[in-house]
Amino acid sequence: MGKPLPQYMIDIKKLSGMIGIQISGTEVRIGALTSVEDIRNNQILKRHFASLTQAAEQFAGVQIRHRATIGGNICNASPAGDLLPGLYAADAELTILSKGGYRRQSIREFIIGPGKTTLKPGELLYNIHLPITGRNSKFYKLGLRQSMAISVVNLAISWESSSAGAFHFSLTSGSVAPTVVYLKHFADAVNSSPRDLDTFLPLIDKDISPITDIRATSDYRRKVLKNIVRHELKTILEAPVV
Amino acid sequence: MIKSPLGSRISRIDAADKVTGKTKFLTDMSVPGMVYAYPIYSSIPFGHITDINSAAAESLTGFIGFYTHKDIPGKNQVGVILPDQPLLVEKTVRFMGDVIGVVVADTHENARKAASLIDISYETLEPVFTIEDSKNSSGPLLHETNIACSHRVIKGDISKGFETSHHIIEASFTTPVQEHYYLEPQGCIVIPGEDQIYIIGSLQCPYYIQKAVAAITAYAMENIIVEQAPTGGAFGGKEDVPSEVCARTALAALMVKRPVKMVYDRKDDMQITSKRHPFQMHYKIGVSNSGEILAAEVRLEENAGAYATLSSVVSYRASIQGLGPYRIPNVKMESTSYYTNLPPNGAFRGFGSPQAAFGHERMMDIVANKLGMDPIEFRLINIIRSGDSTITGQELVTSVSAEETIVQARDAAYWTDIRSKSTPDSRYITGMGIAVTHYGNCLGAAGWHMDGSGASVRIREDGQIDVAFGLVEMGQGALTAVAQMTAEALGVDISRINVLPTRSDRLPDSGPSVASRNVVMTGRAIQDAVSKLTPPILKAASDMMDFPTGLLELKNDQIIDGQTGNSISFDDVLQYMFTHNIPTQSEGWWHVPPLKFDPQTGLGEAYFTYSYATHLAKVRVDTVTGLVFVDKIWAAHDVGKAINPAGIEGQVEGGIAQGIGWALTENFRYDQGKVITPGLTTYLLPTAGDIPEIKTIIIENPAPDGPWGAKGIGEPSIIPTAAAIANAVSHALGAPINDLPITPENVLNLIQRKAP
Ligand SMILES: Cc1cc2nc3c(=O)[nH]c(=O)nc-3n(C[C@H](O)[C@H](O)[C@H](O)COP(=O)(O)OP(=O)(O)OC[C@H]3O[C@@H](n4cnc5c(N)ncnc54)[C@H](O)[C@@H]3O)c2cc1C
């Protein structure tokens, strides 16, 4: 019947200082209590971090999007969290607040396992920082129904938009390992020779360790992630250069 | 005033209260002094109880009592057809969910907690979960035999039929469990009185409960009063199951001598209660070169779960409908239900029809494919028309519209154009599929003895009219249809009609609200009641107007003299009747006409009339992920007469949504008898986003025995959907989909196996 209830519970959701999305110098700063719905509709994010707005678009359903916060999605540390691949791909940094002051940590160090973070008692996730780099990004979610679905596999891709030919792809994927993972082996290979994409797909297996659960088998996750990566990269590679 | 002649689209009369939250459902209700009960159920699939220790539960604050089979004053039996199911287990538990006892406490939470503290020890037995294991089990049987029931249809000479066939084609199919997932879990409140027990609950048949509770408590049936609370969905899941829920609560109420409420939590509801039977099916069909079906041999096997409950209804109906609405001269059909150590499967929208439809309609496509024929062309060669006989040898004469449903759906969908089109986009492959089905209305020959229902009409002095009916509203729109039919029968405005909640003492045993029988049975009973009420009304008018009754007619709230056109208002006549002490109430009854049927051969009149339907599905298969998207469904239904076309559309859209869920996303699963999809994050009901545009085509070919010609629609709406989708996906892939659900993993495997 779940975990025992603590003696006191504090609802932090209305602390207005922790809600909002702003550009501050060379980064975008998102308050930890910003709702997924606000992320979905935000023009700054749409322009600089499309993978995040796209993830928010496909997140749960409308009621949940209004209640769910980005901070909650991070602290939940679910392997299937939909905002996470985009945040990893954007090299997000987090500020964590406590009585003693602030500490700053990258998201990939903050999340250490399924449901596990470095958050200590007395700490609060305060802000999310996204360095503006001018890179493009997109997000793909595979769920078993059109809304209110936990991802079977999700994927964020970011790439260089300026120099034609050199894409410098970075791929992050969820629901295929205990935490979101970078598909590093595959990305390195494909960045050196994008046209041979098909032959590098097996390298994806080096970075993932999917499990079989109620939603899908590990075999399907391996197979479908490769199909999705292949399809998404081809779409990017074949798009006319602007 | 809302004018509502029969056949016009009107909003549900219960809609406003439901959407504004005014309607009180069972969970919203409480009575003074009420306490709460919760069931304790087996945590193993098969075994003997060796010890029950309730010490920990008893020391919990709020604990009131714990009761087992030993406390039952009457007979410990709730089997609705076969007496194979104890209310509370005495020794042998047969599934995880078999209820052993009931705990009573001061709150629902404490009752649930106390239930979890009852410690039960078992000696385990080797369980069987699949049909094959049940057949081949060398271990202990579940009951005297592992076969719960069987039915057959034997017609003509199949060996001759196959001999003369040019092609003989065989295939096997399987379908999964489906959970009803009614919005509101099982629940009731029982109030014990001096010599009466009053029960209010979320249910489909008050009379079943009356019988079950009388047997358990040893009370006279008349002293058990059962009322239906507004019910948040049922789909068959509240046909027989509430008898158990209410009988356990009644036992608790008698023991503690206080009102007791019991509501199952969703997870426990899913572990304890009935579901749609999984089927495995084998079809062998012989056809001529010209596409005529000459012989069919079919084996249907159903997983009944631990108790027979309503398996025989499912097995019977599947055997009758298992070859669809086609003319087939030589038939051998066998349908058998096997006991397994799973929750008992029972009634679910269609009673085995969607499963059988998946078998026969996949088979029709497979045979058409083999003959190189268009699936519609092949079906039209064999379709049943007026004057033809069903596989049971029943000659159908009136209201036979299978062909019309095919033709209208085909033309609306531009079938030929769309089906032959190649896909412009290489990622997605489109497919078109068809399924054609028939559905025997009401309980049929096997349930004929209980296929009668009543209604009563009482005109009040203020001109309002109270109608009581023996069947129930459970979300399908019965109240609205009953109001419309009463208004129509009397010739008055619908705003006068007030439909009363169903209560067991208002009418004689009218049976369950199942088998799409509500409009048919209640409509005819209303006509019967009104036919007794109209003569005194006309007589009163004739006395007032001084005119022969023969020329008077009740219409538009007036009694009109057909010759002169003179009229007098309904209200004035009522005043006259009340001052002259003329009774203004009557009771009506209708029983399904006699059916000649031989259960040995399965030949004869299986049902008194049939509803026909064709669904066409257009799907898109994603070759990257294997996901299937349903783009559109055309649904042509022959309903005899649409009492409320908006209500028909509601039923069709709801049935299709449930059919899509069963076909694609729901995927109910057990692990060693334990439900591993016990909630909405794992049991994926389709969302609004998963439901495509639905084009409902209503065909009205009146059935002489139906009220104003009406036939049932509640179940026909779900029956063809999954088969049509599977046929569409098979068409898209060029590979057969013979098992449900259609998971992306299986689809992707099929695609990649086919890829060079
Ligand atoms: C029906 C449903 C559908 C869902 N669909 C999706 C989906 O499609 N995709 C998806 O990724 N997730 C989904 N979720 C999961 C969940 O809603 C999200 O992870 C959401 O972002 C959580 O946000 P919250 O604000 O509600 O966090 P909460 O649930 O309130 O918190 C989660 C945890 O984080 C802690 N926490 C929250 N904020 C902070 C903070 N600022 N500092 C420190 N600790 C904090 C809380 O104490 C708690 O332990 C779904 C959940 C439900 C119920």
Side-chain angles (χ1 to χ4, degrees), chain A residues 30-232:
Chain A
I30 307 174
L33 299 181
T34 306
S35 75
V36 174
E37 183 64 16
D38 284 347
I39 289 172
R40 173 174 171 252
N41 295 321
N42 187 270
Q43 292 307 316
I44 301 171
L45 292 178
K46 206 165 269 180
R47 174 142 170 255
H48 297 288
F49 300 98
S51 66
L52 272 188
T53 47
Q54 287 166 16
E57 180 77 35
Q58 294 176 58
F59 197 104
V62 65
Q63 295 92 338
I64 299 282
R65 282 202 294 270
H66 278 91
R67 283 295 292 169
T69 65
I70 183 170
N73 200 239
I74 296 169
C75 294
N76 229 8
S78 159
D82 282 324
L83 298 182
L84 305 183
L87 293 171
Y88 276 65
D91 288 320
E93 299 243 318
L94 313 175
T95 40
I96 294 132
L97 173 67
S98 65
K99 259 201 300 198
Y102 295 94
R103 71 180 171 97
R104 196 162 164 137
Q105 194 171 30
S106 74
I107 189 165
R108 86 186 87 148
E109 284 160 358
F110 179 76
I111 294 176
I112 51 182
K116 289 207 183 77
T117 65
T118 64
L119 211 59
K120 290 189 287 288
E123 285 189 329
L124 203 59
L125 173 58
Y126 188 62
N127 270 329
I128 296 102
H129 309 264
L130 307 172
I132 298 175
T133 59
R135 281 167 70 84
N136 281 332
S137 69
K138 71 191 285 193
F139 175 80
Y140 185 88
K141 170 173 179 169
L142 173 65
L144 297 178
R145 62 183 167 193
Q146 295 293 304
S147 62
M148 304 304 279
I150 297 173
S151 288
V152 167
V153 158
N154 58 21
L155 173 75
I157 304 173
S158 81
W159 69 96
E160 212 66 66
S161 50
S162 47
S163 47
F167 287 89
H168 300 293
F169 286 114
S170 167
L171 296 97
T172 46
S173 179
S175 248
V176 289
T179 63
V180 167
V181 288
Y182 288 87
L183 306 180
K184 186 141 181 9
H185 289 89
F186 169 76
D188 287 348
V190 92
N191 283 331
S192 63
S193 176
R195 306 285 149 190
D196 296 324
L197 148 67
D198 281 352
T199 58
F200 301 137
L201 286 171
L203 292 175
I204 288 175
D205 285 322
K206 293 201 162 193
D207 288 304
I208 65 176
S209 51
I211 55 164
T212 293
D213 64 11
I214 196 74
R215 278 170 278 282
T217 64
S218 73
D219 198 43
Y220 176 68
R221 287 190 159 100
R222 285 182 188 280
K223 220 184 274 179
V224 82
L225 179 60
K226 286 170 202 148
N227 282 358
I228 293 166
V229 166
R230 178 171 174 272
H231 179 82
E232 293 298 330

Side-chain angles (χ1 to χ4, degrees), chain B residues 513-548:
Chain B
S513 292
V514 301
S516 304
R517 66 196 285 270
N518 187 53
V519 157
V520 175
M521 306 298 298
T522 307
R524 288 298 304 262
I526 289 169
Q527 288 179 331
D528 184 42
V530 169
S531 75
K532 295 172 190 164
L533 209 46
T534 322
I537 296 173
L538 297 185
K539 171 76 172 50
S542 124
D543 289 350
M544 293 169 78
M545 293 164 87
D546 200 16
F547 216 84

Side-chain angles (χ1 to χ4, degrees), chain B residues 202 613 711:
Chain B
S202 179
K711 301 191 280 192

Side-chain angles (χ1 to χ4, degrees), chain B residues 593-676:
Chain B
L595 297 170
K596 246 192 253 143
F597 185 83
D598 175 6
Q600 286 310 309
T601 56
L603 295 181
E605 295 163 327
Y607 295 93
F608 77 95
T609 194
Y610 297 82
S611 300
Y612 300 90
T614 294
H615 286 186
L616 295 187
K618 182 170 175 239
V619 303
R620 219 163 8 104
V621 180
D622 182 348
T623 57
V624 172
T625 60
L627 283 171
V628 170
F629 302 96
V630 182
D631 280 346
K632 183 161 178 175
I633 291 197
W634 293 263
H637 285 267
D638 167 31
V639 299
K641 163 79 188 168
I643 303 294
N644 179 3
I648 302 266
E649 284 167 18
Q651 285 296 294
V652 170
E653 288 166 16
I656 287 172
Q658 208 163 31
I660 288 174
W662 187 51
L664 298 178
T665 57
E666 292 182 19
N667 205 0
F668 191 97
R669 275 163 293 164
Y670 294 106
D671 180 18
Q672 297 297 303
K674 184 182 166 68
V675 177
I676 55 168

Side-chain angles (χ1 to χ4, degrees), chain B residues 256-312:
Chain B
V256 301
K257 301 189 172 58
R258 292 168 72 168
V260 175
K261 181 175 189 174
M262 176 148 78
V263 177
Y264 289 179
D265 286 358
R266 178 68 68 179
K267 195 164 136 270
D268 296 323
D269 189 305
M270 287 178 88
Q271 185 68 56
I272 299 173
T273 70
S274 72
K275 299 157 210 323
R276 185 184 294 292
H277 287 72
F279 272 42
Q280 61 186 43
M281 310 176 251
H282 186 82
Y283 280 73
K284 179 177 170 189
I285 301 269
V287 278
S288 70
N289 277 333
S290 57
E292 249 178 292
I293 303 176
L294 300 175
E297 186 174 359
V298 182
R299 204 171 59 244
L300 306 178
E301 292 171 320
E302 303 102 25
N303 189 328
Y307 298 103
T309 67
L310 292 156
S311 283
S312 74

Side-chain angles (χ1 to χ4, degrees), chain B residues 484-505:
Chain B
Q484 276 181 292
M485 293 190 294
T486 310
E488 176 76 15
L490 272 170
V492 300
D493 193 87
I494 195 171
S495 60
R496 290 180 186 271
I497 313 291
N498 168 36
V499 189
L500 303 175
T502 306
R503 212 176 63 197
S504 59
D505 58 348

